[in-house]
Amino acid sequence: MGLTMEPKTKYAIMLIPVSMMLLSVLRCGQFLSKNGVTLNNALERIASLPLPFSDLIPRQPDELPYTCEQSYTIELLSIDPLVIYLNNFIRDEEIEHLLALGKDRFSTSMVFAGSDGFREVLNKTMRSSQTAFLPKDDVVCQCLTRRMQSLLGNVQNVEVEALQIVKYMTGGDHYRSHTDWFDAPKLDTPIPGSSDRSPKPSNRLGSIFAYLEDDCERGETYFPHLPSVKETADGNKFALADGDTGLLVKPRRGNAVFWNNLHSNGTGDERTSHAGLPVESGTKIGLNIWSRYFLDETMVGGD
Ligand SMILES: *[C@@H]1O[C@H](CO)[C@@H](O)[C@H](O)[C@H]1NC(C)=O
Ligand SMILES: *[C@@H]1O[C@H](CO)[C@@H](O)[C@H](O)[C@H]1NC(C)=O
């Protein structure tokens, strides 16, 4: 018996390093498909495919190695307002793709001002960073849009804005306390491609801030009105703020925080105000994913 088992055992032992090697290759995002197509090649191929006009998100051919599906885990940070921490929300290869996509698109970040609240102005006291708007037809952007929509589930999720990368660099780049919702509803066209093109009042419901680069000192996202952390929390991802009030979310590459900006009657929730604390050294890069709620539609569930 011993002799007949031996080759199998050897084979199994030989497989261990092979599978470990495969795992580490996968982890590095250097995934090779059966045909030896690298992820980047595949993304280029997907990007060059014609997009169907009827769908916001194009379907991806099965044989390509890039798949939109992602398993991430969640931790509730607050129930009211709803705030959720998302572990492993964006994969390494997606981050690399987004950073390359954004690289030549940066310009100084603006803030909204003016009597109607929608004039964009420079105000370095309020906000000092660089913003890159990403193209809506990029496959990874569409996938992340879909990931946000799927997180929203039964909550209205017809429209997600073009994704934005924001870069905070050494020397105090920051964003003072602000809310993501608009003071007055913004008129916009609800469903891309729908026959009804008349603008309708909308506001930002779901916000995701994801961390794409965390090679920095400080630069936490600070929510002054959120509950503090439990005493048992390790402080690695979120922590109690200096001064013992509010919540600090630390930049951790690949992780993200989601929150609901609006009350159920559609008005903005002040408790979602937050700041990007100054980056003392290094670089923090984040990604904004914003979904719109159209005020004359049902917020949660069907009519
Ligand atoms: C810029 O932002 C600061 C901080 O919010 C504010 O006090 C100041 O009035 C703003 N400046 C302009 C020109 O709007
Ligand atoms: C909307 O709901 C919030 C929270 O319940 C409340 O504070 C606010 O007054 C309401 N606003 C309107 C216009 O109904």
Side-chain angles (χ1 to χ4, degrees):
M1 272 316 251
L3 280 176
T4 53
M5 289 300 286
E6 198 183 27
K8 278 190 199 161
T9 315
K10 254 196 211 156
Y11 187 56
I13 288 170
M14 276 166 61
L15 275 179
I16 293 172
V18 171
S19 56
M20 282 175 69
M21 205 177 76
L22 270 178
L23 273 176
S24 60
V25 164
L26 278 176
R27 246 183 251 123
C28 295
Q30 300 292 314
F31 182 68
L32 295 176
S33 77
K34 274 177 287 185
N35 313 326
V37 180
T38 65
L39 176 76
N40 275 345
N41 290 344
L43 286 174
E44 275 162 23
R45 277 171 52 189
I46 299 173
S48 65
L49 292 173
L51 301 177
F53 293 108
S54 55
D55 279 5
L56 181 61
I57 308 293
R59 270 170 214 90
Q60 291 158 25
D62 290 340
E63 70 275 16
L64 292 170
Y66 177 67
T67 156
C68 184
E69 270 166 49
Q70 170 70 349
S71 344
Y72 56 91
T73 58
I74 65 168
E75 295 171 76
L76 287 195
L77 295 179
S78 166
I79 289 175
D80 183 22
L82 182 62
V83 184
I84 305 173
Y85 193 82
L86 308 165
N87 292 287
N88 206 20
F89 189 70
I90 306 188
R91 291 197 296 275
D92 263 355
E93 71 261 31
E94 292 170 333
I95 292 178
E96 294 307 331
H97 177 81
L98 294 172
L99 293 177
L101 194 62
K103 194 166 68 70
D104 299 322
R105 297 175 195 262
F106 282 104
S107 60
T108 310
S109 304
M110 310 286 267
V111 292
F112 284 127
S115 52
D116 68 351
F118 294 119
R119 194 163 52 88
E120 292 202 279
V121 297
L122 274 179
N123 184 338
K124 291 249 184 176
T125 314
M126 183 68 195
R127 185 182 197 190
S128 165
S129 63
Q130 301 283 310
T131 298
F133 287 88
L134 300 182
K136 275 199 157 188
D137 61 0
D138 175 77
V139 161
V140 173
C141 293
Q142 287 173 341
C143 165
L144 293 174
T145 294
R146 193 159 57 185
R147 208 169 285 164
M148 164 65 116
Q149 289 170 323
S150 129
L151 176 64
L152 285 167
N154 203 32
V155 174
Q156 194 192 124
N157 61 31
V158 288
E159 173 64 308
V160 172
E161 294 177 37
L163 310 191
Q164 291 174 31
I165 294 183
V166 280
K167 180 160 71 175
Y168 295 84
M169 285 185 292
T170 186
D173 269 0
H174 69 278
Y175 196 169
R176 281 203 188 174
S177 195
H178 64 280
T179 57
D180 289 352
W181 44 268
F182 310 120
D183 289 342
K186 190 170 193 295
L187 289 178
D188 258 317
T189 310
I191 302 169
S194 82
S195 54
D196 180 4
R197 307 295 297 164
S198 56
K200 297 189 170 22
S202 70
N203 213 328
R204 286 188 180 137
L205 189 151
S207 280
I208 283 179
F209 190 76
Y211 302 98
L212 306 184
E213 189 172 321
D214 60 4
D215 188 12
C216 61
E217 292 295 323
R218 302 303 307 245
E220 301 97 332
T221 310
Y222 173 47
F223 296 86
H225 307 296
L226 287 194
S228 61
V229 296
K230 290 186 215 164
E231 271 179 21
T232 49
D234 64 10
N236 176 45
K237 296 180 293 192
F238 32 88
L240 181 59
D242 316 335
D244 287 356
T245 53
L247 184 79
L248 286 180
V249 180
K250 298 188 176 177
R252 291 290 175 258
R253 182 180 158 108
N255 294 357
V257 57
F258 166 92
W259 63 93
N260 170 24
N261 288 297
L262 304 179
H263 293 297
S264 52
N265 60 15
T267 64
D269 189 338
E270 287 285 352
R271 298 170 302 169
T272 62
S273 66
H274 55 282
L277 297 189
V279 168
E280 288 176 4
S281 67
T283 300
K284 172 179 96 174
I285 300 180
L287 179 75
N288 284 315
I289 311 177
W290 283 321
S291 81
R292 284 298 178 82
Y293 161 62
F294 286 86
L295 275 66
D296 53 2
E297 306 280 331
T298 312
M299 185 185 272
V300 184
D303 294 302

